[in-house]
Amino acid sequence: MSRGEPRRHGLELAATETAEHPLAGLFVPGMRQVFRWSSEQGRELLLIDHPRCRAIFARQGGQLLHFQPRGERPLLWCAARWPRLGAIRGGVPVCWPWFGRHPQESGWPHHGWARLTDWRLLERESSEAGVRLHWRLALHDWEVELQAELGDELALSLTTRHADQEPCMLSQALHAYWRISDIARVAVLGLEGASGQDLLNRQRVVQQGELRPMEGCHRIFDHAGPLRLQDAGWQRRLRIDTGGSPNTVVWHPGGRPLADVGWKEGLGFASIEAAACGTGSQVLAPGETARIQLRARVE
């Protein structure tokens, strides 16, 4: 499907929007309000309805849950059911200030505190091109800010400032779940020749040809920059750019079950993340900053 094809079949696309994203029904037809607060499953949500896109953020985690340029299918996947307490699976969770398990504290939450904590919305503004949002979370001597620009494209930037008196280790990710037709129909292009760590096999790998994650995949690549998510089922290609981030992570559980996610539902996403983790983790000196970025658009 070319970028213009959904616009030629607008009625058909509109009829399937709700089925393709579980939060699409929160938008009220005809309501001319760019920003509106709502709630769903116990979480406070910010709905964005702009002439160029629709989007939804959760205050918990400063988490972008839904993004859909006008005339296109949703770019992000989100689970239909969320746990009563805990992290929301889907959208773009902010994994911070550590990725995966904490290296010393086994009882601390997987992927850090950020996605479990309410963020403060500092700014929101709308223009002809789209919307800009600025979220902040402060924890002890750490401060992290998420800047979002949404319109025809998605752009996220995560900046950490470290104010402690001692150097500290930081690992982080913008853990995006991309909406796809079926995991069996997609391929990741642009990682050819990239080296990395296969977390399932616990060995170093060098990517040969396109990457097909349908059998299960969890790889941290030493890669920064653009790649493509080719979706044969929808005839769609997403250009995903991890910017100057030290790592690109590709993940899908394959046949392994996910809590609160049905088997068929789990076939509808592929996770490609901008990250600084593993060998890309950073030691921040007092007063130092670190940044990772993620951009995406339909080609």
Side-chain angles (χ1 to χ4, degrees):
M1 181 182 299
S2 68
R3 186 180 176 90
E5 187 171 347
R7 297 183 175 89
R8 294 198 298 270
H9 300 286
L11 293 177
E12 178 184 345
L13 183 63
T16 61
E17 278 185 352
T18 302
E20 289 183 0
H21 199 283
L23 299 178
L26 295 177
F27 293 98
V28 178
M31 179 176 287
R32 297 182 179 180
Q33 188 175 357
V34 175
F35 300 105
R36 177 171 63 89
W37 288 99
S38 183
S39 62
E40 174 72 13
Q41 300 185 51
R43 269 65 164 208
E44 190 177 8
L45 305 182
L46 178 63
L47 277 60
I48 300 164
D49 198 347
H50 186 276
R52 291 193 178 273
C53 68
R54 281 179 167 174
I56 298 176
F57 273 91
R59 186 182 294 280
Q60 178 183 312
Q63 186 169 336
L64 179 61
L65 299 176
H66 176 45
F67 172 68
Q68 182 172 14
R70 295 291 182 178
E72 303 288 355
R73 287 186 166 95
L75 266 65
L76 297 174
W77 174 95
C78 185
R81 294 184 299 158
W82 308 340
R84 188 176 63 85
L85 297 173
I88 302 170
R89 187 181 294 280
V92 189
V94 177
C95 301
W96 180 94
W98 62 86
F99 178 86
R101 294 183 177 88
H102 190 277
Q104 284 88 38
E105 301 291 342
S106 60
W108 286 10
H110 201 67
H111 287 323
W113 302 109
R115 64 187 188 143
L116 302 173
T117 309
D118 285 354
W119 290 49
R120 181 184 174 192
L121 179 61
L122 299 181
E123 297 177 86
R124 64 184 191 188
E125 62 180 44
S126 174
S127 68
E128 183 179 346
V131 298
R132 297 166 59 96
L133 300 101
H134 183 186
W135 298 85
R136 177 181 293 165
L137 176 65
L139 289 176
H140 305 293
D141 295 316
W142 294 85
E143 184 177 85
V144 62
E145 295 187 350
L146 179 69
Q147 305 245 13
E149 297 183 13
L150 308 173
D152 295 335
E153 303 180 8
L154 175 158
L156 300 175
S157 178
L158 188 70
T159 303
T160 299
R161 294 179 177 85
H162 171 45
D164 199 351
Q165 297 180 354
E166 299 292 334
C168 287
M169 178 72 74
L170 171 70
S171 60
Q172 56 183 330
L174 292 167
H175 189 316
Y177 290 74
W178 304 104
R179 183 73 173 94
I180 57 174
S181 63
D182 190 303
I183 191 63
R185 305 294 303 278
V186 301
V188 181
L189 314 176
L191 290 171
E192 295 85 350
S195 61
Q197 184 73 22
D198 188 321
L199 299 186
L200 299 182
N201 297 329
R202 300 183 181 182
Q203 62 184 18
R204 295 289 295 179
V205 295
V206 176
Q207 181 59 38
Q208 304 294 326
E210 64 186 23
L211 175 59
R212 291 189 171 272
M214 63 177 293
E215 299 297 335
C217 178
H218 199 177
R219 294 185 178 184
I220 301 174
F221 289 100
D222 302 323
H223 170 275
L227 50 81
R228 272 78 178 173
L229 180 60
Q230 181 73 45
D231 189 337
W234 282 347
Q235 303 274 309
R236 181 171 85 167
R237 185 162 68 175
L238 299 183
R239 184 185 192 273
I240 300 168
D241 192 339
T242 57
S245 309
N247 305 109
T248 296
V249 179
V250 181
W251 171 73
H252 189 272
R256 297 185 303 279
L258 294 174
D260 298 317
V261 176
W263 176 79
K264 186 174 182 180
E265 186 183 12
L267 300 177
F269 77 83
S271 187
I272 299 174
E273 315 163 34
C277 59
T279 58
S281 300
Q282 299 159 281
V283 176
L284 293 190
E288 196 171 8
T289 63
R291 178 178 291 110
I292 57 174
Q293 297 172 300
L294 181 68
R295 303 180 69 93
R297 62 179 169 85
V298 180
E299 287 195 329

